[in-house]
Protein backbone atom coordinates (compact mmCIF):
# COMPACT_ATOMS: atom_id res chain seq x y z
CA UNK A 1 0.00 0.00 0.00
CA UNK A 2 1.34 3.44 -0.91
CA UNK A 3 2.03 6.13 1.68
CA UNK A 4 -0.76 8.24 0.23
CA UNK A 5 -3.28 5.38 0.54
CA UNK A 6 -2.26 4.84 4.16
CA UNK A 7 -2.71 8.55 4.88
CA UNK A 8 -6.16 8.56 3.32
CA UNK A 9 -7.13 5.61 5.51
CA UNK A 10 -5.68 6.99 8.78
CA UNK A 11 -5.81 10.79 8.51
CA UNK A 12 -8.95 13.00 8.37
CA UNK A 13 -8.40 14.28 4.83
CA UNK A 14 -10.13 13.52 1.53
CA UNK A 15 -8.07 12.73 -1.56
CA UNK A 16 -8.48 16.26 -2.91
CA UNK A 17 -7.59 17.81 0.46
CA UNK A 18 -4.48 15.65 0.77
CA UNK A 19 -3.37 16.47 -2.78
CA UNK A 20 -3.71 20.16 -2.00
CA UNK A 21 -1.73 19.82 1.24
CA UNK A 22 1.07 17.93 -0.51
CA UNK A 23 1.28 20.52 -3.28
CA UNK A 24 1.26 23.53 -0.96
CA UNK A 25 3.00 22.10 2.15
CA UNK A 26 6.28 23.92 1.49
CA UNK A 27 4.48 27.29 1.77
CA UNK A 28 2.35 26.50 4.84
CA UNK A 29 4.88 27.73 7.40
CA UNK A 30 4.86 30.60 9.85
CA UNK A 31 8.35 32.09 9.69
CA UNK A 32 9.98 34.30 12.31
CA UNK A 33 13.44 35.02 13.69
CA UNK A 34 14.83 34.80 17.20
CA UNK A 35 18.14 36.33 18.35
CA UNK A 36 21.19 34.13 18.82
CA UNK A 37 23.68 34.65 21.63
CA UNK A 38 26.01 36.47 19.26
CA UNK A 39 25.13 40.15 18.72
CA UNK A 40 23.07 40.95 15.60
CA UNK A 41 22.65 37.30 14.64
CA UNK A 42 19.31 35.55 14.32
CA UNK A 43 17.96 32.03 13.91
CA UNK A 44 15.12 31.49 11.45
CA UNK A 45 12.23 29.41 12.80
CA UNK A 46 9.67 27.98 10.36
CA UNK A 47 6.68 26.27 11.99
CA UNK A 48 4.25 24.33 9.78
CA UNK A 49 0.51 24.87 9.89
CA UNK A 50 -1.57 22.55 12.13
CA UNK A 51 -2.57 20.42 9.12
CA UNK A 52 1.06 19.83 8.09
CA UNK A 53 2.09 19.22 11.71
CA UNK A 54 -0.54 16.49 11.97
CA UNK A 55 0.83 14.79 8.85
CA UNK A 56 4.44 15.13 10.00
CA UNK A 57 3.64 13.56 13.37
CA UNK A 58 1.86 10.73 11.57
CA UNK A 59 4.99 10.19 9.47
CA UNK A 60 7.18 10.11 12.59
CA UNK A 61 5.03 7.42 14.22
CA UNK A 62 4.22 5.35 11.15
CA UNK A 63 7.15 5.71 8.77
CA UNK A 64 10.27 7.27 10.28
CA UNK A 65 10.16 5.22 13.50
CA UNK A 66 11.31 2.13 11.58
CA UNK A 67 14.40 3.84 10.12
CA UNK A 68 17.76 3.34 11.90
CA UNK A 69 19.21 5.90 14.32
CA UNK A 70 22.64 5.40 15.84
CA UNK A 71 22.67 4.71 19.57
CA UNK A 72 25.19 7.54 20.10
CA UNK A 73 22.80 10.11 18.62
CA UNK A 74 21.34 11.22 21.96
CA UNK A 75 19.01 14.10 21.03
CA UNK A 76 15.25 13.92 20.35
CA UNK A 77 14.93 10.35 21.58
CA UNK A 78 12.68 8.85 24.22
CA UNK A 79 14.72 7.72 27.21
CA UNK A 80 17.73 9.83 26.19
CA UNK A 81 18.69 13.27 27.43
CA UNK A 82 21.31 15.94 27.20
CA UNK A 83 22.73 14.47 30.41
CA UNK A 84 23.38 11.14 28.68
CA UNK A 85 25.40 12.98 26.05
CA UNK A 86 27.53 14.83 28.61
CA UNK A 87 27.97 11.88 30.98
CA UNK A 88 29.72 9.81 28.32
CA UNK A 89 32.62 12.28 28.40
CA UNK A 90 32.77 13.25 32.07
CA UNK A 91 35.47 10.80 33.12
CA UNK A 92 37.88 11.56 30.27
CA UNK A 93 40.53 14.27 30.59
CA UNK A 94 40.56 15.75 27.11
CA UNK A 95 37.47 17.08 25.31
CA UNK A 96 36.86 18.23 21.74
CA UNK A 97 33.62 19.99 20.77
CA UNK A 98 32.51 20.54 17.19
CA UNK A 99 29.23 21.45 15.56
CA UNK A 100 27.63 21.84 12.14
CA UNK A 101 26.79 25.07 10.35
CA UNK A 102 23.05 25.45 9.56
CA UNK A 103 22.31 21.86 10.56
CA UNK A 104 18.65 21.35 9.61
CA UNK A 105 18.78 23.52 6.44
CA UNK A 106 21.81 21.49 5.28
CA UNK A 107 19.46 18.54 4.71
CA UNK A 108 17.69 19.14 1.41
CA UNK A 109 14.59 17.69 -0.18
CA UNK A 110 16.76 15.74 -2.64
CA UNK A 111 18.82 14.28 0.22
CA UNK A 112 15.64 13.01 1.87
CA UNK A 113 14.30 11.50 -1.36
CA UNK A 114 17.55 9.72 -2.06
CA UNK A 115 17.77 8.37 1.48
CA UNK A 116 14.19 7.09 1.51
CA UNK A 117 14.70 5.26 -1.78
CA UNK A 118 18.20 3.87 -1.09
CA UNK A 119 18.01 3.14 2.64
CA UNK A 120 14.29 3.21 3.38
CA UNK A 121 13.59 1.02 0.31
CA UNK A 122 10.59 3.15 -0.64
CA UNK A 123 9.20 3.80 -4.08
CA UNK A 124 10.27 6.96 -5.86
CA UNK A 125 6.72 8.32 -5.60
CA UNK A 126 6.44 7.65 -1.86
CA UNK A 127 9.83 9.28 -1.28
CA UNK A 128 8.81 12.32 -3.35
CA UNK A 129 5.51 12.71 -1.48
CA UNK A 130 7.12 12.43 1.95
CA UNK A 131 9.93 14.85 1.11
CA UNK A 132 7.40 17.50 0.06
CA UNK A 133 5.54 17.11 3.35
CA UNK A 134 8.58 17.56 5.60
CA UNK A 135 10.44 20.37 3.82
CA UNK A 136 9.79 24.09 3.61
CA UNK A 137 10.95 26.56 0.97
CA UNK A 138 13.80 28.64 2.38
CA UNK A 139 13.47 31.71 0.20
CA UNK A 140 16.75 33.18 1.42
CA UNK A 141 18.66 30.11 0.23
CA UNK A 142 16.31 29.30 -2.65
CA UNK A 143 15.85 25.64 -1.77
CA UNK A 144 13.59 23.08 -0.11
CA UNK A 145 15.06 21.76 3.13
CA UNK A 146 14.33 20.82 6.74
CA UNK A 147 13.29 23.68 8.98
CA UNK A 148 13.92 24.54 12.59
CA UNK A 149 10.41 24.36 14.04
CA UNK A 150 8.91 21.39 12.21
CA UNK A 151 8.17 18.37 14.45
CA UNK A 152 9.60 15.98 11.84
CA UNK A 153 12.98 17.72 11.45
CA UNK A 154 14.65 16.43 14.65
CA UNK A 155 13.81 12.77 14.01
CA UNK A 156 14.70 13.00 10.31
CA UNK A 157 18.05 14.64 11.08
CA UNK A 158 18.99 11.70 13.31
CA UNK A 159 17.90 9.25 10.61
CA UNK A 160 19.79 11.08 7.88
CA UNK A 161 23.01 11.14 9.94
CA UNK A 162 23.07 7.40 10.65
CA UNK A 163 25.82 6.80 8.04
CA UNK A 164 27.81 9.78 9.35
CA UNK A 165 27.57 8.54 12.95
CA UNK A 166 28.70 5.04 11.92
CA UNK A 167 31.76 6.42 10.13
CA UNK A 168 32.69 8.63 13.08
CA UNK A 169 32.29 5.76 15.56
CA UNK A 170 34.63 3.59 13.48
CA UNK A 171 37.15 6.43 13.30
CA UNK A 172 37.00 7.04 17.05
CA UNK A 173 37.23 3.36 17.92
CA UNK A 174 40.54 3.16 16.07
CA UNK A 175 41.89 6.04 18.20
CA UNK A 176 40.27 4.92 21.50
CA UNK A 177 38.15 8.06 21.59
CA UNK A 178 34.61 8.36 23.01
CA UNK A 179 32.08 9.97 20.66
CA UNK A 180 28.47 11.11 20.92
CA UNK A 181 26.24 13.58 19.09
CA UNK A 182 23.46 15.75 20.48
CA UNK A 183 21.70 17.23 17.41
CA UNK A 184 24.42 19.33 15.77
CA UNK A 185 26.79 19.20 18.77
CA UNK A 186 29.57 16.64 18.37
CA UNK A 187 31.64 15.63 21.39
CA UNK A 188 34.88 13.62 21.49
CA UNK A 189 36.87 12.72 24.58
CA UNK A 190 39.89 10.66 25.56
CA UNK A 191 42.65 10.29 28.11
CA UNK A 192 45.31 10.25 25.40
CA UNK A 193 46.98 13.59 24.82
CA UNK A 194 47.28 15.00 21.28
CA UNK A 195 44.79 12.52 19.77
CA UNK A 196 41.89 14.95 19.37
CA UNK A 197 43.62 17.31 16.95
CA UNK A 198 43.88 14.42 14.50
CA UNK A 199 40.24 13.49 15.15
CA UNK A 200 39.14 17.03 14.27
CA UNK A 201 40.95 16.83 10.93
CA UNK A 202 39.50 13.42 10.11
CA UNK A 203 35.92 14.43 11.03
CA UNK A 204 36.22 17.24 8.51
CA UNK A 205 37.32 14.64 5.98
CA UNK A 206 34.26 12.46 6.69
CA UNK A 207 31.97 15.45 6.08
CA UNK A 208 33.64 16.11 2.73
CA UNK A 209 33.41 12.46 1.67
CA UNK A 210 29.70 12.04 2.43
CA UNK A 211 27.60 12.02 -0.73
CA UNK A 212 24.64 13.40 1.23
CA UNK A 213 23.71 15.34 3.22
CA UNK A 214 26.41 17.95 2.66
CA UNK A 215 27.48 18.86 6.19
CA UNK A 216 29.87 21.65 7.09
CA UNK A 217 31.76 21.99 10.37
CA UNK A 218 31.53 25.41 12.00
CA UNK A 219 35.23 25.98 12.57
CA UNK A 220 34.57 29.01 14.79
CA UNK A 221 32.90 26.73 17.34
CA UNK A 222 35.51 23.97 17.42
CA UNK A 223 36.89 23.91 20.97
CA UNK A 224 39.49 21.66 22.54
CA UNK A 225 40.01 21.64 26.31
CA UNK A 226 41.06 19.45 29.22
CA UNK A 227 40.21 18.73 32.85
CA UNK A 228 42.80 21.33 33.87
CA UNK A 229 40.21 23.92 32.80
CA UNK A 230 36.47 24.41 33.17
CA UNK A 231 34.78 22.07 30.70
CA UNK A 232 31.26 22.88 29.55
CA UNK A 233 29.34 20.54 27.25
CA UNK A 234 25.81 21.39 26.04
CA UNK A 235 25.43 23.72 29.01
CA UNK A 236 26.53 21.17 31.62
CA UNK A 237 29.75 21.21 33.63
CA UNK A 238 32.09 18.21 33.42
CA UNK A 239 33.61 18.20 36.89
CA UNK A 240 37.20 17.25 37.78
CA UNK A 241 35.68 14.34 39.76
CA UNK A 242 34.30 12.82 36.55
CA UNK A 243 30.63 13.73 37.06
CA UNK A 244 28.23 16.17 35.37
CA UNK A 245 26.79 19.23 37.09
CA UNK A 246 24.38 22.06 36.40
CA UNK A 247 27.01 24.51 37.59
CA UNK A 248 27.01 26.91 40.54
CA UNK A 249 25.33 29.82 38.76
CA UNK A 250 22.41 27.77 37.44
CA UNK A 251 21.87 26.08 40.81
CA UNK A 252 21.95 29.43 42.60
CA UNK A 253 19.33 30.82 40.23
CA UNK A 254 17.05 27.76 40.57
CA UNK A 255 17.29 27.88 44.36
CA UNK A 256 16.31 31.57 44.28
CA UNK A 257 13.41 30.96 41.85
CA UNK A 258 12.09 28.08 43.93
CA UNK A 259 12.16 30.22 47.07
CA UNK A 260 10.23 32.97 45.24
CA UNK A 261 7.67 30.36 44.15
CA UNK A 262 7.26 29.23 47.77
CA UNK A 263 6.44 32.87 48.60
CA UNK A 264 3.86 33.08 45.73
CA UNK A 265 6.01 35.59 43.87
CA UNK A 266 6.18 33.95 40.44
CA UNK A 267 3.70 34.37 37.58
CA UNK A 268 2.32 31.43 35.60
CA UNK A 269 4.90 31.72 32.81
CA UNK A 270 7.80 31.66 35.27
CA UNK A 271 6.24 28.75 37.17
CA UNK A 272 5.98 26.65 34.00
CA UNK A 273 9.61 27.42 33.14
CA UNK A 274 10.75 26.60 36.69
CA UNK A 275 8.89 23.26 36.61
CA UNK A 276 10.68 22.29 33.40
CA UNK A 277 14.09 23.36 34.65
CA UNK A 278 13.72 21.46 37.92
CA UNK A 279 12.61 18.32 36.07
CA UNK A 280 15.73 18.63 33.93
CA UNK A 281 17.89 19.19 37.03
CA UNK A 282 16.45 15.97 38.53
CA UNK A 283 17.58 14.05 35.45
CA UNK A 284 21.09 15.51 35.63
CA UNK A 285 21.99 16.07 39.28
CA UNK A 286 19.65 14.47 41.82
CA UNK A 287 21.84 15.48 44.76
CA UNK A 288 21.02 19.12 44.06
CA UNK A 289 17.28 18.38 44.16
CA UNK A 290 17.77 16.46 47.42
CA UNK A 291 19.42 19.57 48.91
CA UNK A 292 16.42 21.67 47.86
CA UNK A 293 14.06 19.13 49.42
CA UNK A 294 15.92 19.38 52.72
CA UNK A 295 16.03 23.18 52.55
CA UNK A 296 12.48 24.01 51.41
CA UNK A 297 10.48 20.83 52.04
CA UNK A 298 8.57 18.42 49.81
CA UNK A 299 5.37 20.51 49.88
CA UNK A 300 6.90 23.12 47.57
CA UNK A 301 7.56 20.45 44.96
CA UNK A 302 4.07 18.99 45.38
CA UNK A 303 2.63 22.42 44.55
CA UNK A 304 4.75 22.34 41.38
CA UNK A 305 3.41 18.84 40.62
CA UNK A 306 6.94 17.46 40.89
CA UNK A 307 6.77 14.52 43.33
CA UNK A 308 10.50 14.39 44.10
CA UNK A 309 11.55 12.54 47.22
CA UNK A 310 14.77 11.32 48.77
Amino acid sequence: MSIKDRMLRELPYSSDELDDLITTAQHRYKVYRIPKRQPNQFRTIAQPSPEIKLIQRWLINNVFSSLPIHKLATAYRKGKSIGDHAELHAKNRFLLKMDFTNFFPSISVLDIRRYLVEIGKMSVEDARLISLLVCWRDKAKGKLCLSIGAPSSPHLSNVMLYAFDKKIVQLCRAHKVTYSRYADDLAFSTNRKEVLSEIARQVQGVCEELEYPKLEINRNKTVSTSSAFKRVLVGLILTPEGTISLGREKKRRLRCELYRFSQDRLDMTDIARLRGELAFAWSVEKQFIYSLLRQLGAEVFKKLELPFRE
Side-chain angles (χ1 to χ4, degrees):
M1 183 181 292
S2 71
I3 292 295
K4 183 178 177 181
D5 287 340
R6 291 176 61 190
M7 287 181 177
L8 288 172
R9 188 176 66 176
E10 299 179 27
L11 292 172
Y13 303 123
S14 69
S15 182
D16 287 344
E17 288 170 337
L18 188 56
D19 285 340
D20 181 58
L21 288 170
I22 294 166
T23 303
T24 62
Q26 61 187 276
H27 304 296
R28 292 174 177 261
Y29 284 77
K30 178 182 179 182
V31 182
Y32 55 96
R33 300 197 306 167
I34 59 174
K36 292 184 178 181
R37 293 179 183 176
Q38 301 90 336
N40 302 316
Q41 292 193 28
F42 297 86
R43 177 173 285 107
T44 299
I45 308 296
Q47 290 188 337
S49 67
E51 298 84 1
I52 302 302
K53 279 185 180 179
L54 176 63
I55 294 173
Q56 290 182 353
R57 291 190 175 112
W58 183 90
L59 287 168
I60 293 169
N61 294 328
N62 296 278
V63 179
F64 302 153
S65 60
S66 64
L67 299 172
I69 295 174
H70 202 282
K71 65 180 180 181
L72 292 176
T74 55
Y76 319 127
R77 301 180 66 184
K78 189 175 181 178
K80 294 281 187 181
S81 73
I82 205 167
D84 296 313
H85 174 63
E87 196 165 22
L88 285 167
H89 306 279
K91 289 183 169 59
N92 291 333
R93 291 172 58 203
F94 302 102
L95 175 69
L96 169 68
K97 299 187 291 183
M98 306 176 76
D99 76 9
F100 298 121
T101 301
N102 297 322
F103 182 42
F104 285 176
S106 295
I107 302 174
S108 74
V109 67
L110 295 180
D111 295 334
I112 294 166
R113 288 180 192 176
R114 185 172 175 182
Y115 174 89
L116 293 176
V117 171
E118 293 181 357
I119 309 301
K121 305 301 180 184
M122 296 181 191
S123 70
V124 172
E125 179 56 25
D126 280 350
R128 185 194 70 84
L129 182 150
I130 290 171
S131 68
L132 290 175
L133 288 166
V134 298
C135 290
W136 77 297
R137 181 162 294 282
D138 185 340
K139 294 179 180 177
K141 294 182 173 61
K143 68 174 186 177
L144 282 170
C145 56
L146 294 187
S147 75
I148 302 170
S152 54
S153 293
H155 192 100
L156 260 179
S157 68
N158 273 343
V159 164
M160 294 290 295
L161 262 69
Y162 181 70
F164 171 85
D165 289 329
K166 280 186 68 176
K167 286 179 180 291
I168 298 300
V169 167
Q170 291 169 359
L171 166 67
C172 289
R173 187 177 293 127
H175 292 278
K176 297 182 180 178
V177 167
T178 299
Y179 162 73
S180 65
R181 179 175 62 81
Y182 192 87
D184 59 346
D185 289 302
L186 316 177
F188 308 84
S189 63
T190 182
N191 287 317
R192 302 171 66 206
K193 197 172 183 180
E194 307 300 334
V195 170
L196 294 180
S197 58
E198 176 63 16
I199 288 290
R201 186 186 67 79
Q202 293 191 30
V203 169
Q204 181 65 47
V206 170
C207 290
E208 293 169 359
E209 290 169 6
L210 278 181
E211 292 186 47
Y212 67 94
K214 288 300 181 184
L215 303 169
E216 183 180 345
I217 295 295
N218 187 339
R219 296 178 185 272
N220 293 329
K221 290 188 177 180
T222 297
V223 176
S224 188
T225 187
S226 77
S227 56
F229 304 92
K230 182 180 180 181
R231 295 173 300 159
V232 181
L233 183 59
V234 287
L236 297 174
I237 308 298
L238 308 187
T239 71
E241 295 75 32
T243 62
I244 58 175
S245 172
L246 298 165
R248 283 196 296 266
E249 180 58 31
K250 187 172 288 187
K251 287 192 280 190
R252 185 200 64 78
R253 181 178 60 78
L254 285 176
R255 187 177 285 109
C256 178
E257 291 287 286
L258 187 60
Y259 176 76
R260 291 180 63 208
F261 169 75
S262 71
Q263 302 296 307
D264 295 322
R265 291 162 52 195
L266 289 186
D267 62 28
M268 294 304 295
T269 301
D270 289 335
I271 290 171
R273 178 179 49 78
L274 177 62
R275 184 183 293 114
E277 289 188 331
L278 287 171
F280 173 70
W282 173 259
S283 71
V284 170
E285 195 172 354
K286 286 185 172 61
Q287 291 302 322
F288 170 62
I289 297 297
Y290 294 153
S291 72
L292 294 179
L293 280 165
R294 289 190 290 270
Q295 182 180 356
L296 295 170
E299 287 302 316
V300 176
F301 290 97
K302 286 181 181 177
K303 282 180 64 178
L304 276 170
E305 298 177 358
L306 294 171
F308 300 145
R309 59 175 65 117
E310 289 194 69

